[in-house]
Amino acid sequence: MKERLEALRKEALEQLQGVADAAHLNDLRVHYLGKKGQLTEILRGMGALSAEERPVIGQVGNEVRAAIEAVIAEKQEGFDAAATAHRLQAETIDVTLPGKAVGVGSVHPLNKVTMEIEDIFIGMGYTVAEGPEVETDFFNFEALNLPKNHPARDMQDSFYITDEILLRTQTSPVQIRTMKAMNGKTPVKVICPGRVYRRDDDDATHSFMFHQIEGLVIGPNIRMSDLKGTLLQFVQEMYGPQMQIRLRPSFFPFTEPSAEVDVTCAQCGGSGCRMCKHTGWIEILGCGMVHPKVLEHGGYDPTEVTGFAFGMGVERIALLKYGIDDIRHFYANDTKFLSQFAKM
Ligand code: DAH
């Protein structure tokens, strides 16, 4: 019996040496040490042994079991360690890999310029007013001293919706809406940003839709020098303290007198270049003293108050500020173009 036990130990240890995986290891454990396994099978014959032999054989049996169990435990440990290593390997995260960039949008250059202009005027005590883009003929033309058949209406080919309703061609109608809302009170000090529409063919400098900012100030004793000082302050904050302005006589139906305002050419600093057609000046806005008829339409008495107004194109201001050569860039939504303004 002792020989059988020794033979079993030898066989089991040989088998265990070649075990390939945990499942095979378990099969061998059951085969040799299980309730119906080989060891139990041999030890069942103990009953036939003498009283002296029994403890001796019993001891050998225990030794064989312990030896087999020890190798099984060692193998099991090896398999467990390998499985853990495998899992760690599979779940490895390379923390040195660059992360996936999350795209962050940027403020559109037209909005950026609009906000900058708003900030400058808010700093001078203005408030921001808005009006509808779908406007009546009365507010867009009539109340601004452009009666029907007035030749100045030809300057602005308009998108009419009905005979009386159109897409506003300028932000000037917000002047009238603001005056009416103020109900004769002074001072009025507003700027009015917004979209305007004209039946222009789109090209590098024209678009059927663009943006304007209107300004209006009304009070007792508002003079043209106030207008000039205000615009100079604006231009120097917007483009730099070295900038100058000049006013050229012009005509707008809603102002009298009217002027066009030029600013020092930012490109050449006023010495003359291609951009300013060698004049040293760039035109940036229209302005004037509010026409008495416009004050009346707004509910003010032109013998008691005076005012000035101005209007500028946001695209034009942005083109000059950033040196952009084509207005269509603003509407194409090309992120390569737009992202350039993220850090400006
Ligand atoms: N509304 C004019 C335009 O669209 C711009 C303008 C000129 C507005 C003179 C004004 C102004 O308020 O006084 O061309």
Side-chain angles (χ1 to χ4, degrees):
M1 209 165 163
K2 192 175 172 196
E3 287 77 49
R4 280 181 68 198
L5 284 170
E6 291 300 346
L8 182 74
R9 181 206 312 244
K10 193 164 173 265
E11 182 199 313
L13 295 188
E14 266 171 26
Q15 287 288 315
L16 284 168
Q17 280 321 306
V19 69
D21 55 44
H24 187 202
L25 183 65
N26 194 47
D27 289 346
L28 291 179
R29 188 180 57 78
V30 172
H31 177 74
Y32 291 111
L33 305 181
K35 267 197 207 125
K36 292 174 188 158
Q38 297 286 299
L39 185 65
T40 316
E41 177 68 32
I42 297 171
L43 294 179
R44 210 171 269 147
M46 290 245 290
L49 296 177
S50 65
E52 298 85 60
E53 272 177 324
R54 218 175 279 157
V56 179
I57 293 302
Q59 170 137 17
V60 174
N62 283 343
E63 278 169 21
V64 169
R65 175 182 290 278
I68 296 173
E69 273 176 349
V71 175
I72 288 175
E74 181 193 310
K75 289 280 175 192
Q76 186 65 50
E77 216 169 271
F79 288 136
D80 286 352
T84 304
H86 182 77
R87 239 187 51 221
L88 287 177
Q89 178 70 31
E91 292 173 5
T92 297
I93 295 169
D94 183 352
V95 293
T96 66
L97 279 177
K100 278 194 190 135
V102 178
V104 178
S106 54
V107 178
H108 192 282
L110 290 179
N111 288 333
K112 217 174 171 111
V113 166
T114 302
M115 291 191 290
E116 237 179 287
I117 297 172
E118 284 177 5
D119 280 351
I120 293 171
F121 281 100
I122 287 168
M124 290 193 262
Y126 287 65
T127 53
V128 178
E130 286 186 342
E133 291 174 32
V134 179
E135 191 50 283
T136 63
D137 182 274
F138 173 78
F139 283 110
N140 194 76
F141 290 130
E142 197 92 25
L144 289 164
N145 199 28
L146 279 116
K148 290 216 175 10
N149 306 319
H150 190 291
R153 285 199 184 189
D154 291 344
M155 296 193 320
Q156 301 171 345
D157 279 354
S158 319
F159 288 111
Y160 274 92
I161 292 164
T162 68
D163 275 357
E164 289 301 320
I165 297 174
L166 72 161
L167 297 182
R168 68 179 176 194
T169 60
Q170 49 187 352
T171 44
S172 304
V174 189
Q175 285 188 26
I176 307 294
R177 289 184 173 275
T178 303
M179 283 189 253
K180 283 189 178 290
M182 287 292 281
N183 220 359
K185 285 197 293 285
T186 56
V188 174
K189 245 180 137 180
V190 289
I191 52 162
C192 323
R195 291 193 173 125
V196 300
Y197 301 83
R198 294 191 195 170
R199 294 184 53 181
D200 272 328
D201 289 327
D202 290 3
D203 62 23
T205 53
H206 294 85
S207 165
F208 70 92
M209 182 282 298
F210 58 101
H211 300 75
Q212 286 189 334
I213 296 182
E214 192 78 13
L216 176 70
V217 172
I218 295 173
N221 271 325
I222 298 293
R223 294 161 305 188
M224 193 126 184
S225 53
D226 297 318
L227 170 61
K228 193 174 177 191
T230 299
L231 294 178
L232 181 61
Q233 175 74 20
F234 160 66
V235 160
Q236 293 188 338
E237 282 196 46
M238 188 77 191
Y239 294 108
Q242 73 285 9
M243 295 303 205
Q244 290 302 320
I245 57 168
R246 72 172 183 187
L247 273 62
R248 282 181 289 107
S250 184
F251 171 78
F252 297 103
F254 29 88
T255 44
E256 180 58 36
S258 303
E260 253 153 338
V261 177
D262 297 340
V263 60
T264 313
C265 176
Q267 190 88 15
C268 61
S271 58
C273 66
R274 251 184 57 202
M275 178 142 144
C276 58
K277 300 200 182 82
H278 301 282
T279 62
W281 296 99
I282 301 256
E283 185 194 320
I284 56 157
L285 55 83
C287 65
M289 300 307 291
V290 182
H291 196 288
K293 284 207 179 129
V294 174
L295 287 172
E296 276 170 8
H297 277 299
Y300 287 84
D301 181 349
T303 64
E304 282 179 10
V305 295
T306 48
F308 66 72
F310 55 87
M312 62 186 111
V314 178
E315 278 78 354
R316 190 166 171 77
I317 304 276
L319 290 176
L320 295 173
K321 185 165 173 93
Y322 297 120
I324 299 164
D325 59 1
D326 194 323
I327 194 174
R328 287 168 291 196
H329 286 307
F330 291 131
Y331 316 120
N333 283 333
D334 178 350
T335 52
K336 275 199 216 127
F337 170 76
L338 296 175
S339 64
Q340 298 178 81
F341 302 92
K343 292 188 188 69
M344 285 177 109

